[in-house]
Coordinates of all heavy atoms in Angstrom, one line a residue:
M257 N 39.6 -27.4 305.0 CA 39.8 -26.6 306.2 C 40.3 -25.2 305.8 O 41.1 -25.1 304.9 CB 40.9 -27.2 307.1 CG 41.2 -26.4 308.3 SD 42.4 -27.3 309.4 CE 42.7 -26.2 310.5
V258 N 39.7 -24.2 306.4 CA 40.1 -22.8 306.0 C 40.9 -22.2 307.1 O 40.6 -22.3 308.4 CB 38.7 -21.9 305.9 CG1 39.1 -20.4 305.7 CG2 37.8 -22.4 304.8
T259 N 42.0 -21.6 306.7 CA 42.8 -20.9 307.7 C 42.9 -19.5 307.4 O 42.8 -19.0 306.2 CB 44.3 -21.4 307.7 OG1 44.9 -21.3 306.4 CG2 44.3 -22.9 308.1
E260 N 43.0 -18.7 308.4 CA 43.1 -17.2 308.2 C 44.4 -16.7 308.8 O 44.9 -17.1 309.8 CB 42.0 -16.4 308.9 CG 40.6 -16.6 308.2 CD 39.6 -15.7 308.9 OE1 39.8 -15.0 309.9 OE2 38.5 -15.7 308.3
T261 N 45.0 -15.7 308.1 CA 46.3 -15.1 308.5 C 46.0 -13.6 308.6 O 45.5 -13.0 307.6 CB 47.4 -15.4 307.6 OG1 47.5 -16.7 307.4 CG2 48.7 -14.8 308.0
K262 N 46.3 -12.9 309.7 CA 46.2 -11.5 309.8 C 47.2 -10.8 308.8 O 48.2 -11.4 308.4 CB 46.6 -11.0 311.2 CG 45.6 -11.5 312.3 CD 46.1 -10.9 313.6 CE 45.0 -11.4 314.6 NZ 45.3 -10.8 316.0
T263 N 46.8 -9.6 308.4 CA 47.7 -8.8 307.5 C 48.1 -7.6 308.2 O 47.6 -7.4 309.4 CB 46.9 -8.5 306.2 OG1 45.8 -7.5 306.5 CG2 46.3 -9.7 305.5
E264 N 48.8 -6.7 307.6 CA 49.1 -5.4 308.2 C 48.0 -4.5 308.2 O 48.0 -3.4 308.8 CB 50.3 -4.8 307.5 CG 50.0 -4.3 306.0 CD 50.3 -5.4 305.0 OE1 50.3 -6.6 305.3 OE2 50.5 -5.0 303.8
Y265 N 46.8 -4.9 307.7 CA 45.6 -4.1 307.8 C 44.6 -4.8 308.7 O 44.2 -5.9 308.4 CB 44.9 -4.0 306.3 CG 45.9 -3.5 305.3 CD1 46.9 -4.4 304.7 CD2 45.9 -2.2 304.9 CE1 47.7 -3.8 303.7 CE2 46.7 -1.7 304.0 CZ 47.7 -2.6 303.4 OH 48.5 -2.1 302.5
P266 N 44.4 -4.1 309.8 CA 43.5 -4.8 310.9 C 42.2 -5.4 310.4 O 41.8 -6.4 311.0 CB 43.3 -3.7 311.9 CG 44.4 -2.7 311.7 CD 44.7 -2.8 310.2
Q267 N 41.6 -4.8 309.4 CA 40.3 -5.3 309.0 C 40.4 -6.3 307.8 O 39.3 -6.7 307.3 CB 39.4 -4.1 308.7 CG 39.1 -3.3 309.9 CD 38.0 -2.3 309.6 OE1 37.2 -2.5 308.9 NE2 38.1 -1.2 310.4
I268 N 41.6 -6.6 307.4 CA 41.8 -7.5 306.3 C 42.6 -8.7 306.7 O 43.5 -8.6 307.3 CB 42.6 -6.8 305.1 CG1 41.9 -5.5 304.6 CG2 42.7 -7.8 303.9 CD1 40.5 -5.7 304.1
V269 N 42.1 -9.9 306.4 CA 42.7 -11.2 306.6 C 43.0 -11.9 305.3 O 42.2 -11.7 304.3 CB 42.0 -12.1 307.7 CG1 41.9 -11.4 309.0 CG2 40.6 -12.5 307.1
R270 N 43.9 -12.8 305.2 CA 44.1 -13.7 304.1 C 43.5 -15.0 304.5 O 43.8 -15.6 305.6 CB 45.6 -13.9 303.8 CG 46.3 -12.6 303.5 CD 47.3 -12.6 302.6 NE 47.1 -13.4 301.4 CZ 46.7 -12.9 300.2 NH1 46.4 -11.7 300.1 NH2 46.6 -13.7 299.3
R271 N 42.6 -15.5 303.6 CA 41.9 -16.7 303.9 C 42.3 -17.8 302.9 O 42.3 -17.6 301.7 CB 40.4 -16.5 303.8 CG 39.6 -17.7 304.2 CD 38.2 -17.6 304.3 NE 37.9 -16.7 305.5 CZ 36.9 -16.0 305.7 NH1 36.0 -15.9 304.8 NH2 36.8 -15.3 306.8
V272 N 42.9 -18.9 303.4 CA 43.3 -20.0 302.5 C 42.3 -21.1 302.7 O 42.1 -21.6 303.9 CB 44.7 -20.4 302.8 CG1 45.2 -21.5 302.0 CG2 45.7 -19.3 302.8
G273 N 41.8 -21.6 301.6 CA 40.9 -22.8 301.6 C 40.7 -23.3 300.2 O 41.7 -23.2 299.4
A274 N 39.7 -24.1 300.0 CA 39.6 -24.7 298.8 C 39.6 -23.8 297.6 O 39.9 -24.2 296.5 CB 38.2 -25.6 298.8
G275 N 39.1 -22.6 297.9 CA 39.0 -21.6 296.7 C 40.4 -20.8 296.5 O 40.4 -19.9 295.7
G276 N 41.3 -21.2 297.2 CA 42.7 -20.6 297.1 C 42.9 -19.6 298.2 O 42.4 -19.7 299.3
D277 N 43.9 -18.7 298.0 CA 44.3 -17.8 299.0 C 43.9 -16.4 298.6 O 44.3 -15.8 297.6 CB 45.9 -17.8 299.0 CG 46.5 -16.8 299.9 OD1 45.8 -16.2 300.8 OD2 47.7 -16.7 300.0
I278 N 43.0 -15.8 299.4 CA 42.4 -14.5 299.1 C 42.2 -13.6 300.2 O 42.1 -14.1 301.3 CB 41.0 -14.8 298.3 CG1 39.9 -13.8 298.8 CG2 40.5 -16.1 298.5 CD1 38.6 -14.0 297.9
A279 N 42.4 -12.3 300.0 CA 42.2 -11.3 301.0 C 40.7 -11.0 301.1 O 40.1 -10.7 300.2 CB 42.9 -10.1 300.6
V280 N 40.2 -11.0 302.4 CA 38.8 -10.8 302.7 C 38.7 -9.8 303.8 O 39.6 -9.6 304.6 CB 38.1 -12.1 303.0 CG1 38.0 -13.0 301.8 CG2 38.6 -12.7 304.3
L281 N 37.6 -9.2 303.9 CA 37.2 -8.4 305.2 C 37.1 -9.3 306.3 O 36.4 -10.3 306.3 CB 36.0 -7.6 305.0 CG 36.0 -6.5 303.9 CD1 34.6 -5.9 303.7 CD2 36.9 -5.4 304.3
A282 N 37.8 -9.1 307.4 CA 37.8 -9.9 308.6 C 36.3 -10.1 309.1 O 35.5 -9.2 309.1 CB 38.7 -9.3 309.7
G283 N 36.1 -11.4 309.4 CA 34.7 -11.7 309.9 C 33.7 -11.9 308.8 O 32.5 -12.0 309.2
T284 N 34.0 -11.8 307.5 CA 33.1 -12.0 306.5 C 33.8 -12.9 305.4 O 34.9 -13.3 305.5 CB 32.8 -10.6 305.8 OG1 33.9 -10.3 304.9 CG2 32.5 -9.5 306.8
N285 N 32.9 -13.2 304.4 CA 33.5 -13.9 303.3 C 33.6 -13.0 302.1 O 33.8 -13.4 300.9 CB 32.5 -15.1 302.9 CG 32.5 -16.2 303.8 OD1 33.6 -16.5 304.3 ND2 31.4 -16.8 304.1
I286 N 33.5 -11.6 302.3 CA 33.7 -10.6 301.3 C 35.1 -10.3 300.9 O 35.9 -9.8 301.7 CB 32.9 -9.3 301.7 CG1 31.6 -9.6 302.2 CG2 33.0 -8.3 300.7 CD1 30.6 -10.0 301.1
G287 N 35.5 -10.7 299.6 CA 36.8 -10.4 299.2 C 37.0 -9.0 298.8 O 36.2 -8.3 298.5
V288 N 38.3 -8.6 299.0 CA 38.8 -7.3 298.7 C 38.5 -7.0 297.2 O 37.9 -6.0 296.8 CB 40.3 -7.1 299.0 CG1 40.8 -5.8 298.3 CG2 40.5 -7.1 300.4
W289 N 38.6 -8.0 296.4 CA 38.3 -8.0 294.9 C 36.9 -7.5 294.7 O 36.6 -6.7 293.8 CB 38.7 -9.2 294.2 CG 37.8 -10.4 294.5 CD1 37.9 -11.3 295.5 CD2 36.5 -10.6 293.9 NE1 36.8 -12.1 295.5 CE2 35.9 -11.7 294.6 CE3 35.8 -10.0 292.8 CZ2 34.7 -12.3 294.2 CZ3 34.5 -10.5 292.5 CH2 34.0 -11.7 293.2
F290 N 35.9 -8.1 295.5 CA 34.6 -7.8 295.3 C 34.3 -6.3 295.6 O 33.6 -5.6 294.8 CB 33.7 -8.7 296.2 CG 32.3 -8.3 296.1 CD1 31.5 -8.8 295.1 CD2 31.6 -7.5 297.0 CE1 30.1 -8.5 294.9 CE2 30.3 -7.3 297.0 CZ 29.5 -7.7 295.9
I291 N 34.8 -5.7 296.7 CA 34.7 -4.4 297.1 C 35.2 -3.5 295.9 O 34.5 -2.6 295.5 CB 35.4 -4.0 298.4 CG1 34.8 -4.9 299.5 CG2 35.3 -2.6 298.7 CD1 33.4 -4.7 299.8
V292 N 36.4 -3.8 295.4 CA 37.0 -2.9 294.4 C 36.2 -3.0 293.1 O 35.9 -2.0 292.5 CB 38.5 -3.4 294.1 CG1 39.1 -2.7 292.9 CG2 39.3 -3.2 295.4
R293 N 35.7 -4.2 292.7 CA 34.8 -4.3 291.6 C 33.6 -3.5 291.7 O 33.2 -2.8 290.8 CB 34.5 -5.8 291.3 CG 33.9 -5.9 289.9 CD 33.8 -7.4 289.5 NE 33.4 -7.6 288.1 CZ 32.2 -7.3 287.7 NH1 31.2 -6.8 288.5 NH2 31.9 -7.5 286.4
Q294 N 32.9 -3.5 292.9 CA 31.7 -2.8 293.1 C 32.0 -1.3 292.9 O 31.3 -0.5 292.4 CB 31.1 -3.0 294.4 CG 30.6 -4.4 294.5 CD 29.6 -4.7 293.5 OE1 29.8 -5.6 292.6 NE2 28.4 -4.1 293.5
L295 N 33.2 -0.8 293.4 CA 33.5 0.6 293.3 C 33.8 1.0 291.8 O 33.3 2.0 291.4 CB 34.8 0.9 294.2 CG 34.5 0.8 295.7 CD1 35.8 0.8 296.5 CD2 33.6 2.0 296.1
R296 N 34.4 0.0 291.1 CA 34.7 0.3 289.7 C 33.4 0.4 288.9 O 33.4 1.1 287.8 CB 35.5 -0.8 289.1 CG 37.0 -0.8 289.5 CD 37.8 -1.8 288.8 NE 39.2 -1.8 289.2 CZ 40.0 -2.6 288.8 NH1 39.7 -3.6 287.9 NH2 41.2 -2.6 289.2
T297 N 32.3 -0.3 289.3 CA 31.1 -0.3 288.6 C 30.2 1.0 289.0 O 29.2 1.2 288.4 CB 30.3 -1.5 288.7 OG1 29.9 -1.7 290.1 CG2 31.0 -2.7 288.3
G298 N 30.8 1.8 289.9 CA 30.1 3.0 290.1 C 29.4 3.1 291.5 O 28.9 4.1 291.9
D299 N 29.4 1.9 292.3 CA 28.9 2.0 293.7 C 29.7 2.9 294.5 O 30.9 2.9 294.4 CB 28.8 0.6 294.2 CG 27.7 -0.2 293.7 OD1 26.9 0.3 292.9 OD2 27.7 -1.5 294.0
T300 N 29.1 3.6 295.4 CA 29.9 4.3 296.5 C 30.2 3.5 297.7 O 29.4 2.5 297.9 CB 29.1 5.6 296.9 OG1 27.9 5.2 297.6 CG2 28.7 6.5 295.7
P301 N 31.1 3.8 298.5 CA 31.3 3.1 299.7 C 30.0 3.0 300.5 O 29.6 1.9 301.1 CB 32.4 3.8 300.4 CG 33.2 4.5 299.3 CD 32.1 4.8 298.3
E302 N 29.3 4.1 300.6 CA 28.0 4.1 301.3 C 27.0 3.2 300.7 O 26.3 2.5 301.5 CB 27.4 5.6 301.4 CG 28.3 6.5 302.2 CD 29.5 7.1 301.4 OE1 29.7 6.8 300.2 OE2 30.3 7.7 302.1
A303 N 26.9 3.1 299.4 CA 26.0 2.2 298.8 C 26.3 0.7 299.1 O 25.4 -0.1 299.2 CB 25.9 2.5 297.3
I304 N 27.6 0.4 299.1 CA 28.0 -0.9 299.4 C 27.6 -1.3 300.8 O 27.0 -2.4 301.1 CB 29.5 -1.1 299.3 CG1 29.9 -0.9 297.7 CG2 30.0 -2.5 299.7 CD1 31.3 -0.8 297.5
V305 N 27.9 -0.4 301.8 CA 27.5 -0.6 303.2 C 25.9 -0.8 303.3 O 25.5 -1.6 304.1 CB 28.0 0.6 304.1 CG1 27.4 0.4 305.5 CG2 29.5 0.4 304.1
A306 N 25.2 0.0 302.5 CA 23.8 -0.1 302.6 C 23.3 -1.4 302.1 O 22.3 -2.0 302.7 CB 23.1 1.1 301.7
A307 N 23.9 -1.9 301.1 CA 23.5 -3.3 300.5 C 24.1 -4.4 301.4 O 23.5 -5.5 301.4 CB 24.1 -3.4 299.1
L308 N 25.2 -4.2 302.1 CA 25.8 -5.3 302.9 C 26.0 -4.7 304.3 O 27.1 -4.3 304.7 CB 27.1 -5.7 302.3 CG 27.1 -6.2 300.8 CD1 28.4 -6.4 300.3 CD2 26.3 -7.6 300.9
P309 N 24.9 -4.6 305.1 CA 25.0 -3.8 306.4 C 25.9 -4.4 307.4 O 26.3 -3.7 308.4 CB 23.7 -3.8 306.9 CG 22.9 -4.8 306.1 CD 23.6 -5.0 304.8
H310 N 26.4 -5.6 307.2 CA 27.4 -6.3 308.2 C 28.9 -5.8 307.9 O 29.7 -6.1 308.6 CB 27.3 -7.8 308.1 CG 27.7 -8.4 306.8 ND1 26.9 -8.2 305.6 CD2 28.8 -9.1 306.4 CE1 27.5 -8.9 304.6 NE2 28.6 -9.4 305.1
I311 N 29.0 -4.9 306.9 CA 30.3 -4.4 306.5 C 30.2 -2.8 307.0 O 29.2 -2.2 306.9 CB 30.6 -4.4 305.0 CG1 30.7 -5.9 304.6 CG2 31.8 -3.7 304.6 CD1 30.8 -6.1 303.1
T312 N 31.3 -2.4 307.4 CA 31.4 -1.0 307.8 C 32.1 -0.1 306.8 O 32.8 -0.6 305.9 CB 32.2 -0.8 309.2 OG1 33.6 -1.2 308.9 CG2 31.6 -1.7 310.2
L313 N 31.9 1.2 306.9 CA 32.7 2.1 306.0 C 34.2 1.9 306.2 O 35.0 1.9 305.2 CB 32.3 3.5 306.2 CG 31.1 4.1 305.4 CD1 30.8 5.5 305.8 CD2 31.3 4.0 303.9
A314 N 34.6 1.7 307.4 CA 36.0 1.5 307.7 C 36.5 0.3 307.0 O 37.7 0.2 306.5 CB 36.2 1.4 309.2
G315 N 35.7 -0.8 306.9 CA 36.1 -2.0 306.2 C 36.2 -1.7 304.7 O 37.2 -2.2 304.0
I316 N 35.3 -0.9 304.2 CA 35.5 -0.6 302.7 C 36.7 0.2 302.5 O 37.5 -0.2 301.6 CB 34.2 0.3 302.3 CG1 32.9 -0.5 302.5 CG2 34.5 0.8 300.8 CD1 32.7 -1.6 301.6
Y317 N 37.1 1.1 303.3 CA 38.3 1.9 303.1 C 39.6 1.1 303.4 O 40.6 1.3 302.7 CB 38.2 3.2 303.9 CG 37.3 4.2 303.3 CD1 36.0 4.4 303.8 CD2 37.7 4.9 302.2 CE1 35.1 5.3 303.2 CE2 36.8 5.8 301.5 CZ 35.5 6.0 302.1 OH 34.7 6.8 301.5
A318 N 39.5 0.1 304.3 CA 40.6 -0.8 304.5 C 40.7 -1.7 303.3 O 41.9 -1.9 302.9 CB 40.3 -1.7 305.8
A319 N 39.7 -2.1 302.6 CA 39.8 -2.9 301.4 C 40.4 -2.1 300.3 O 41.3 -2.5 299.5 CB 38.5 -3.4 301.0
M320 N 40.1 -0.8 300.2 CA 40.6 0.1 299.2 C 42.1 0.3 299.4 O 43.0 0.2 298.5 CB 39.9 1.5 299.2 CG 38.5 1.3 298.7 SD 37.4 2.8 299.0 CE 38.3 4.0 298.1
S321 N 42.4 0.5 300.7 CA 43.9 0.7 301.0 C 44.7 -0.6 300.7 O 45.8 -0.5 300.1 CB 43.9 1.0 302.6 OG 45.3 1.2 302.9
Y322 N 44.2 -1.7 301.1 CA 44.8 -3.0 300.8 C 45.0 -3.1 299.3 O 46.1 -3.4 298.8 CB 44.1 -4.2 301.3 CG 44.7 -5.5 301.1 CD1 45.5 -6.1 302.0 CD2 44.5 -6.2 299.9 CE1 46.2 -7.2 301.8 CE2 45.2 -7.4 299.6 CZ 46.0 -7.9 300.6 OH 46.6 -9.1 300.4
Y323 N 43.9 -2.8 298.5 CA 44.0 -2.9 297.1 C 45.1 -2.0 296.5 O 45.9 -2.5 295.6 CB 42.7 -2.5 296.4 CG 42.7 -2.3 294.9 CD1 42.9 -3.4 294.1 CD2 42.7 -1.0 294.3 CE1 43.0 -3.3 292.7 CE2 42.8 -0.8 293.0 CZ 43.0 -2.0 292.2 OH 43.1 -1.8 290.8
Y324 N 45.2 -0.8 296.9 CA 46.2 0.1 296.3 C 47.6 -0.3 296.6 O 48.5 -0.1 295.8 CB 46.0 1.5 296.7 CG 44.8 2.1 295.9 CD1 43.6 2.5 296.6 CD2 44.8 2.3 294.5 CE1 42.6 3.0 295.9 CE2 43.8 2.8 293.8 CZ 42.6 3.1 294.5 OH 41.6 3.7 293.8
D325 N 47.8 -1.1 297.7 CA 49.2 -1.6 298.0 C 49.4 -3.1 297.4 O 50.5 -3.5 297.5 CB 49.3 -1.7 299.5 CG 49.6 -0.4 300.2 OD1 49.8 0.6 299.5 OD2 49.3 -0.3 301.4
H326 N 48.3 -3.6 296.9 CA 48.4 -5.0 296.3 C 47.7 -5.2 295.0 O 47.1 -6.2 294.8 CB 47.8 -6.0 297.4 CG 48.5 -6.0 298.6 ND1 48.2 -5.2 299.7 CD2 49.6 -6.8 299.1 CE1 49.0 -5.4 300.7 NE2 49.8 -6.4 300.4
R327 N 47.8 -4.2 294.2 CA 47.1 -4.2 292.9 C 47.5 -5.5 292.0 O 46.6 -6.0 291.3 CB 47.4 -3.0 292.1 CG 46.7 -1.7 292.6 CD 47.0 -0.5 292.0 NE 46.2 -0.5 290.7 CZ 45.7 0.5 290.1 NH1 46.1 1.7 290.6 NH2 45.0 0.5 289.1
A328 N 48.8 -5.8 292.1 CA 49.2 -6.9 291.2 C 48.6 -8.2 291.7 O 48.4 -9.2 290.9 CB 50.8 -7.1 291.3
E329 N 48.1 -8.3 292.9 CA 47.4 -9.5 293.4 C 45.9 -9.4 293.0 O 45.3 -10.4 292.7 CB 47.6 -9.5 294.9 CG 46.7 -10.6 295.6 CD 46.6 -10.4 297.1 OE1 47.5 -9.7 297.7 OE2 45.6 -10.9 297.8
I330 N 45.3 -8.2 293.2 CA 43.9 -8.1 293.1 C 43.4 -8.0 291.7 O 42.3 -8.5 291.3 CB 43.3 -7.0 294.0 CG1 43.8 -7.1 295.5 CG2 41.8 -6.8 293.9 CD1 43.2 -8.3 296.2
D331 N 44.1 -7.2 290.8 CA 43.6 -6.9 289.5 C 43.4 -8.2 288.7 O 42.4 -8.3 288.0 CB 44.6 -6.0 288.7 CG 44.4 -4.6 289.2 OD1 43.3 -4.2 289.7 OD2 45.3 -3.7 288.9
P332 N 44.3 -9.2 288.7 CA 44.0 -10.4 288.0 C 42.8 -11.2 288.4 O 42.1 -11.8 287.5 CB 45.3 -11.3 288.2 CG 46.4 -10.3 288.6 CD 45.7 -9.2 289.3
I333 N 42.4 -11.1 289.7 CA 41.2 -11.8 290.2 C 40.1 -11.1 289.6 O 39.1 -11.8 289.0 CB 41.2 -11.7 291.7 CG1 42.3 -12.4 292.3 CG2 39.8 -12.3 292.2 CD1 42.5 -12.3 293.9
I334 N 40.0 -9.8 289.6 CA 38.9 -9.0 288.9 C 38.8 -9.3 287.5 O 37.8 -9.5 286.8 CB 39.0 -7.5 289.3 CG1 38.9 -7.2 290.8 CG2 38.0 -6.7 288.5 CD1 39.3 -5.8 291.1
E335 N 40.0 -9.2 286.7 CA 40.0 -9.5 285.3 C 39.5 -10.9 285.0 O 38.7 -11.0 284.0 CB 41.4 -9.2 284.8 CG 41.9 -7.8 284.8 CD 43.3 -7.6 284.7 OE1 44.1 -8.6 284.4 OE2 43.7 -6.4 284.9
H336 N 39.9 -11.9 285.8 CA 39.4 -13.2 285.5 C 37.9 -13.3 285.7 O 37.2 -13.9 284.9 CB 40.1 -14.2 286.5 CG 39.5 -15.6 286.3 ND1 39.9 -16.4 285.3 CD2 38.8 -16.2 287.1 CE1 39.2 -17.6 285.5 NE2 38.6 -17.6 286.6
G337 N 37.4 -12.7 286.8 CA 35.9 -12.6 287.0 C 35.2 -12.0 285.8 O 34.1 -12.4 285.4
D338 N 35.7 -10.8 285.4 CA 35.2 -10.1 284.2 C 35.1 -11.0 282.9 O 34.1 -11.0 282.2 CB 35.8 -8.9 284.0 CG 35.6 -7.8 285.1 OD1 34.7 -7.9 285.9 OD2 36.4 -6.7 285.1
R339 N 36.2 -11.7 282.7 CA 36.2 -12.6 281.6 C 35.2 -13.7 281.6 O 34.5 -14.0 280.7 CB 37.6 -13.2 281.4 CG 38.6 -12.3 280.7 CD 40.0 -13.0 280.3 NE 40.5 -13.8 281.3 CZ 41.4 -13.4 282.2 NH1 41.7 -12.1 282.2 NH2 41.9 -14.1 283.2
M340 N 35.1 -14.3 282.8 CA 34.1 -15.4 283.0 C 32.7 -14.9 282.9 O 31.9 -15.6 282.3 CB 34.3 -16.0 284.4 CG 35.6 -16.7 284.6 SD 36.0 -18.0 283.5 CE 34.9 -19.2 283.9
A341 N 32.4 -13.7 283.4 CA 31.1 -13.1 283.2 C 30.7 -12.8 281.7 O 29.7 -13.1 281.3 CB 30.9 -11.9 284.0
A342 N 31.8 -12.3 281.0 CA 31.6 -12.1 279.6 C 31.3 -13.4 278.8 O 30.4 -13.4 277.9 CB 32.8 -11.4 279.0
Q343 N 32.0 -14.4 279.2 CA 31.8 -15.7 278.5 C 30.4 -16.2 278.8 O 29.7 -16.8 277.9 CB 32.9 -16.7 279.0 CG 34.2 -16.5 278.4 CD 35.3 -17.4 278.9 OE1 35.0 -18.3 279.7 NE2 36.5 -17.3 278.5
Y344 N 30.0 -16.2 280.1 CA 28.7 -16.6 280.4 C 27.6 -15.8 279.6 O 26.7 -16.4 279.2 CB 28.5 -16.4 282.0 CG 27.1 -16.9 282.4 CD1 26.8 -18.2 282.5 CD2 26.1 -15.9 282.7 CE1 25.5 -18.6 282.9 CE2 24.9 -16.2 283.1 CZ 24.5 -17.6 283.2 OH 23.3 -18.0 283.6
E345 N 27.8 -14.5 279.7 CA 26.8 -13.7 278.9 C 26.7 -14.1 277.4 O 25.7 -14.1 276.8 CB 27.1 -12.2 279.1 CG 26.8 -11.7 280.5 CD 27.2 -10.2 280.7 OE1 27.4 -9.6 279.6 OE2 27.3 -9.8 281.8
A346 N 27.9 -14.3 276.8 CA 27.9 -14.7 275.4 C 27.2 -16.0 275.2 O 26.5 -16.2 274.2 CB 29.3 -14.8 274.9
Q347 N 27.4 -17.0 276.1 CA 26.7 -18.2 276.0 C 25.3 -18.1 276.1 O 24.4 -18.8 275.5 CB 27.3 -19.3 277.0 CG 28.7 -19.6 276.7 CD 29.4 -20.5 277.7 OE1 28.8 -20.7 278.9 NE2 30.5 -21.1 277.4
A348 N 24.9 -17.3 277.1 CA 23.4 -17.1 277.4 C 22.8 -16.5 276.2 O 21.6 -16.9 275.8 CB 23.2 -16.3 278.6
V349 N 23.4 -15.5 275.5 CA 22.8 -14.8 274.4 C 22.7 -15.8 273.2 O 21.8 -15.8 272.5 CB 23.6 -13.5 274.0 CG1 23.2 -13.0 272.7 CG2 23.5 -12.5 275.1
G350 N 23.7 -16.6 273.1 CA 23.8 -17.6 271.9 C 22.9 -18.7 272.1 O 22.6 -19.5 271.1
S351 N 22.3 -18.9 273.3 CA 21.4 -20.1 273.5 C 20.0 -19.9 273.0 O 19.4 -18.9 272.9 CB 21.3 -20.5 275.0 OG 22.3 -20.3 275.7

């Protein structure tokens, strides 16, 4: 069972389920960590909205605002994902 809790950011909710406790854009399964990672790789907010039209620019900026107030929560999620991706790529190259 998945439960959602409102945050002080109207467009961000905390979702608790089998995957843990994560901040997502309300009404979506898109994690704040995903938005931040896309921005770090060079995507613009407009490009993210173009690729994911069910997300608004306001949602992107809400995710950014949440991130800057909760870096200690979000950065480890991104770092873990980056490590897992690097391990996968290393295994794929070695096969």
Side-chain angles (χ1 to χ4, degrees):
M257 179 175 173
V258 174
T259 60
E260 286 189 358
T261 306
K262 291 182 179 182
T263 69
E264 65 272 23
Y265 303 83
Q267 296 190 28
I268 307 294
V269 295
R270 299 214 44 97
R271 183 170 292 158
V272 180
D277 179 7
I278 137 175
V280 300
L281 292 172
T284 76
N285 289 320
I286 306 294
V288 169
W289 69 268
F290 178 80
I291 299 300
V292 173
R293 189 167 190 292
Q294 292 306 110
L295 292 166
R296 285 184 181 176
T297 62
D299 286 351
T300 64
E302 293 79 10
I304 296 170
V305 170
L308 303 167
H310 62 290
I311 295 175
T312 64
L313 273 176
I316 300 295
Y317 286 102
M320 292 168 62
S321 180
Y322 183 93
Y323 167 71
Y324 285 112
D325 287 342
H326 298 89
R327 291 179 77 149
E329 169 194 342
I330 304 298
D331 283 341
I333 297 169
I334 295 169
E335 290 164 7
H336 176 73
D338 289 346
R339 282 192 308 274
M340 297 303 292
Q343 287 176 0
Y344 177 77
E345 289 176 15
Q347 289 174 351
V349 170
S351 325

